[in-house]
Amino acid sequence: MENNTDEFWMRRALRLAVLGRHASPNPMVGCVIVDRFGNKLGEGFHPAPGQPHAEVFAVAKAGHSARGATAYVTLEPCSHHGRTPPCADLLVEAGISRVVIAMSDPDSRVSGNGIGCLLAAGIEVDLGVMETEARLLNRAYIHHRTTGMPWVTVKVATTLDGKMATVDGDSRWITGPVTRRWVHRGLRDRADAILVGVNTVLVDNPSLTTRLSQRIGRDPLRIIVDSRLRTPLDSKVVKHSEVDGKTVIACLAQFAQDGINKYAGRGVVVLPVDADNDSRVDLRKLLHALGTSYAVSAVLVEGGASIIASAVERRLVNRYVTTIGPKLVGGNLASGPIGGNGLASRMKEAPGVFVLNVRRSAVDIVIDASIGSD
């Protein structure tokens, strides 16, 4: 591909945007500024909330050379005052003559307004270059902005015969170290919150932190679905919360005060949630609370089987990732990844998935699939 095409430079902007994996709840955005001869003048990405946007870094690097140049941006430049000034105004003031945008911003404060600002200033605007790739990159952001709900990814580890544990409940380890490192780097490090049921805490006592060997990972908010407050005070999720305050225990509303008393001084937030028809925490209401009150745009669900079943049954899951280890354990009583009473009585009624990717991960297999229309 020639280095002066719109697709070439937008692809570079998308690669930059990926570096902003901790930008949530903001979108991942990349920007490249190029002169009329195809020379790159400046580039940047949005690293985190409250920090400068991609256009700010790119314009600063381009300096006065930005006048008359083309800016490639993976998302419509913002047009409102938030934590930072509007980027559309910045591009106008920099003298940019053309802006190539991958996709419009679904945020109602921006959608169409940023483009309108550029057009009003006489700047040429081209929209839709590599839009599919841009939407895939920011699918959690888009889903959150358009529904108020977090994008939900379910991750499971199973043996080749579909078991999550042996008949005695042992599950360590199904997959190898390469795959487990990818889970931390590619899933936990990019999630705003990680959600598990209380049974997972009682059986496995997980840390629910991001552990990376080469750098410090971002620990997601830990969400424990615990209707009747069985999470032990000496569990790792509570111990970690005493340090970072990033554990939320979602319980039935009538038990909330008991939880506040039980976990007082532990850094744990007790979140009361109404009951569903099964007298358990209503997952839809919980997720809505996370999306609106906690600005959580991406949730990683790691178990257990009943929580996953409840989420899938209620059509709350957007992405389903299965890591498969080359082992066989068998056993009628050995658990599978989705519990409950079954999602369908007939195979033709079973929820369908769209497989996005199947790949090898050392000796394991990783299957990445989407559920629903997002």
Side-chain angles (χ1 to χ4, degrees):
M1 182 182 294
E2 297 181 4
N3 67 354
N4 61 353
T5 65
D6 288 346
E7 290 79 10
F8 177 89
W9 290 114
M10 187 60 76
R11 194 176 301 279
R12 173 59 186 168
L14 287 167
R15 286 199 295 268
L16 288 168
V18 172
L19 299 177
R21 59 188 172 276
H22 296 161
S24 181
N26 293 347
M28 292 182 282
V29 182
C31 176
V32 182
I33 296 176
V34 180
D35 69 16
R36 62 190 182 91
F37 301 108
N39 300 309
K40 182 176 68 176
L41 304 174
E43 64 181 23
F45 67 93
H46 177 47
Q51 295 191 27
H53 289 188
E55 297 92 328
V56 175
F57 288 109
V59 168
K61 291 177 182 177
H64 296 298
S65 300
R67 187 162 300 276
T70 296
Y72 294 87
V73 191
T74 58
L75 185 72
E76 177 180 4
C78 63
S79 56
H80 66 291
H81 284 272
R83 299 184 187 182
T84 58
C87 289
D89 291 349
L90 175 66
L91 295 177
V92 172
E93 294 168 2
I96 296 292
S97 63
R98 177 174 178 248
V99 180
V100 182
I101 303 169
M103 61 171 284
S104 59
D105 194 329
D107 191 318
S108 59
R109 299 170 298 177
V110 181
S111 186
N113 296 324
I115 293 173
C117 176
L118 298 174
L119 291 174
I123 295 176
E124 179 185 352
V125 176
D126 288 306
L127 176 66
V129 175
M130 301 192 73
E131 179 175 1
T132 299
E133 291 84 352
R135 293 184 68 85
L136 182 63
L137 175 68
N138 274 313
R139 53 189 176 177
Y141 169 78
I142 296 168
H143 183 77
H144 182 240
R145 285 296 187 273
T146 55
T147 68
M149 299 280 283
W151 172 271
V152 177
T153 297
V154 165
K155 175 264 169 186
V156 299
T158 73
T159 59
L160 193 57
D161 57 336
K163 304 297 185 180
M164 290 182 69
T166 66
V167 292
D168 293 326
D170 181 39
S171 61
R172 295 188 178 183
W173 295 103
I174 293 175
T175 55
V178 171
T179 302
R180 297 199 300 274
R181 284 196 297 269
W182 172 80
V183 169
H184 284 268
R185 182 182 68 253
L187 296 178
R188 286 192 180 184
D189 187 48
R190 300 190 179 192
D192 299 323
I194 181 168
L195 184 150
V196 300
V198 66
N199 286 334
T200 296
V201 174
L202 294 173
V203 174
D204 296 334
N205 192 22
S207 294
L208 301 183
T209 55
T210 299
R211 300 180 293 280
L212 301 175
S213 59
Q214 300 299 320
R215 57 180 171 80
I216 298 175
R218 180 182 68 161
D219 287 339
L221 189 67
R222 297 176 289 272
I223 312 296
I224 314 302
V225 181
D226 185 2
S227 297
R228 291 171 174 78
L229 301 171
R230 293 187 292 149
T231 301
L233 292 176
D234 61 354
S235 61
K236 291 180 180 178
V237 293
V238 173
K239 291 293 186 181
H240 284 305
S241 199
E242 292 173 352
V243 177
D244 62 20
K246 297 183 70 172
T247 296
V248 174
I249 297 181
C251 67
L252 293 177
Q254 63 264 37
F255 296 104
Q257 188 57 53
D258 293 338
I260 292 173
N261 296 335
K262 177 178 180 179
Y263 301 106
R266 306 279 182 164
V268 173
V269 174
V270 176
L271 177 61
V273 182
D274 292 337
D276 60 16
N277 294 333
D278 298 318
S279 299
R280 298 178 299 185
V281 166
D282 189 310
L283 283 184
R284 183 175 297 277
K285 292 182 178 179
L286 169 58
L287 290 170
H288 184 264
L290 294 176
T292 54
S293 299
Y294 289 79
V296 169
S297 62
V299 172
L300 176 64
V301 178
E302 288 205 22
S306 61
I307 288 289
I308 294 174
S310 182
V312 175
E313 286 172 357
R314 288 160 177 75
R315 299 184 179 181
L316 300 173
V317 179
N318 306 102
R319 181 185 180 197
Y320 194 99
V321 178
T322 302
T323 59
I324 303 173
K327 300 174 182 178
L328 302 171
V329 299
N332 291 331
L333 299 180
S335 64
I338 300 180
N341 297 319
L343 302 177
S345 58
R346 296 184 179 183
M347 190 60 68
K348 65 180 181 180
E349 299 169 351
V353 301
F354 178 76
V355 177
L356 298 171
N357 182 266
V358 179
R359 65 178 179 84
R360 291 288 299 271
S361 174
V363 297
D364 304 321
I365 297 172
V366 177
I367 301 176
D368 193 341
S370 65
I371 301 178
S373 57
D374 284 303

